[in-house]
Amino acid sequence: MISVLQIIKEQLVNIHLIFRLSVYEIRGKYLMHYLGVVWQFLNPAIQISVYWLIFGLGIRSGGEVNGFPFFTFLIVGIIPWFFINPTINQGSNSVYKQVRLVSKMKFPISILPSVSIVSNLFNFIVMTLIMAVILHFKGIEPSIYLIQYPYYVFCMIVFLYATTLLFSTISTIVRDFQSLLQSTLRILFYLSPILWDIKMMPAFFDPIVKLNPIYYIIDGFRNTFLYQKWFFADLNIMFYFWVVTLLMLFVGAALHMKFRKKFIDYL
């Protein structure tokens, strides 16, 4: 508990530093590209088009999913994934990449995963606004259920920080873990109900899919924008998500505090 409180305190005290470093990271990432930050939106647009062509027009022959066009179903589920996937990859490698630079100065290493989260958050916000415009033209207008949108964003950010804090510690100590994580995320993309509806699968597969905490987030976004269901409609999955997330946060904080002074020894 003490480790978690210390970690939270470091985030709050250094909030301005987190945002400043995030801006530098965004600028530096596309500094040598002619299109600059446009690539942050061009890459997702290309991927969405490919998935829509293959899974929407190809495999499904343009069919609907729960009364919604496949493209609408796809974009609401895949936009949070475009935030989750790079954040976990970058955040899990953030300590290993930067620890040489900050090891000899008084720097709160625990904010490095937060920098990755905030740097990708800008992209997520812009893509969400674009998604809202697309939904408008598809005839799907905002409803009262939109008030739970901040809750699901909060869930996603807490989950991502808990995950990247834990994984960044493990990845620094055991470098093979980063390669394993990248492969696992590719598998999770297809196992999570992003490209397909969970109702299409046999009943025994349902509880297995819901063991993945990302399912709760993806389903929450669709409940908010498409299905109009409240976040407390399924208290069991909600309770499970927060138990897993908080457990990862406590374990991640404990490991981080235990090894943070020894990170440089593992390089």
Side-chain angles (χ1 to χ4, degrees), residues 155 157-163 213 217 239-251:
C155 289
I157 291 175
V158 174
F159 170 75
L160 286 174
Y161 184 75
T163 303
I217 297 172
F239 177 75
Y240 170 77
F241 170 83
W242 281 111
V243 167
V244 171
T245 299
L246 293 178
L247 179 61
M248 293 179 68
L249 179 61
F250 275 80
V251 174

Side-chain angles (χ1 to χ4, degrees), residues 22-35:
S22 299
V23 172
Y24 291 151
E25 185 169 305
I26 293 172
R27 290 176 178 174
K29 188 183 299 183
Y30 298 101
L31 186 62
M32 302 304 293
H33 294 68
Y34 287 111
L35 296 180

Side-chain angles (χ1 to χ4, degrees), residues 18-19 21-27 29-30 35-42 44 79-80 82-84 86-87 90 114-131 149 153 156-157 160:
I18 291 172
F19 278 92
L21 291 175
S22 299
V23 172
Y24 291 151
E25 185 169 305
I26 293 172
R27 290 176 178 174
K29 188 183 299 183
Y30 298 101
L35 296 180
V37 295
V38 174
W39 279 109
Q40 284 194 293
F41 313 108
L42 188 58
I79 283 180
F82 283 150
F83 178 43
I84 293 170
T87 300
Q90 295 166 21
S114 294
V115 173
S116 299
I117 293 173
V118 175
S119 64
N120 286 297
L121 185 61
F122 168 75
N123 186 32
F124 170 72
I125 292 172
V126 174
M127 286 198 297
T128 301
L129 293 175
I130 295 173
M131 179 191 72
Y149 173 73
V153 174
M156 187 163 51
I157 291 175
L160 286 174

Side-chain angles (χ1 to χ4, degrees), residues 48-249:
I48 290 173
S49 300
V50 171
Y51 293 137
W52 176 56
L53 288 171
I54 295 175
F55 293 95
L57 298 182
I59 296 176
R60 300 186 58 86
S61 302
E64 295 184 341
V65 181
N66 295 327
F68 294 96
F70 178 78
F71 181 76
T72 303
F73 172 85
L74 171 65
I75 197 172
V76 175
I78 206 170
I79 283 180
W81 175 258
F82 283 150
F83 178 43
I84 293 170
N85 182 44
T87 300
I88 292 180
N89 268 317
Q90 295 166 21
S92 299
N93 204 35
S94 59
V95 172
Y96 180 82
K97 286 178 59 180
Q98 304 293 339
V99 71
R100 286 186 185 275
L101 299 176
V102 302
S103 60
K104 296 182 180 180
M105 63 180 72
K106 189 178 181 180
F107 185 91
I109 299 178
S110 68
I111 74 169
L112 292 176
S114 294
V115 173
S116 299
I117 293 173
V118 175
S119 64
N120 286 297
L121 185 61
F122 168 75
N123 186 32
F124 170 72
I125 292 172
V126 174
M127 286 198 297
T128 301
L129 293 175
I130 295 173
M131 179 191 72
V133 173
I134 293 174
L135 293 180
H136 170 73
F137 283 105
K138 290 288 185 178
I140 302 173
E141 300 296 341
S143 66
I144 191 173
Y145 295 89
L146 193 61
I147 64 175
Q148 67 186 7
Y149 173 73
Y151 164 74
Y152 283 112
V153 174
F154 176 74
C155 289
M156 187 163 51
I157 291 175
V158 174
F159 170 75
L160 286 174
Y161 184 75
T163 303
T164 53
L165 181 66
L166 174 61
F167 289 175
S168 62
T169 301
I170 300 175
S171 182
T172 303
I173 299 172
V174 183
R175 284 307 295 162
D176 297 293
F177 180 80
Q178 188 66 26
S179 299
L180 176 63
L181 177 63
Q182 292 174 359
S183 300
T184 303
L185 285 173
R186 294 190 193 101
I187 296 172
L188 278 179
F189 173 72
Y190 292 101
L191 292 182
S192 302
I194 298 172
L195 302 174
W196 47 273
D197 182 22
I198 194 172
K199 295 178 182 177
M200 297 168 54
M201 306 301 292
F204 74 88
F205 198 67
D206 185 87
I208 298 175
V209 173
K210 291 180 179 179
L211 289 175
N212 176 10
I214 297 176
Y215 164 82
Y216 179 72
I217 297 172
I218 301 297
D219 193 55
F221 275 82
R222 287 193 174 125
N223 287 339
T224 299
F225 290 100
L226 301 180
Y227 303 146
Q228 299 188 348
K229 295 180 181 178
W230 290 111
F231 68 93
F232 49 79
D234 191 341
L235 292 178
N236 290 331
I237 189 67
M238 177 182 175
F239 177 75
Y240 170 77
F241 170 83
W242 281 111
V243 167
V244 171
T245 299
L246 293 178
L247 179 61
M248 293 179 68
L249 179 61

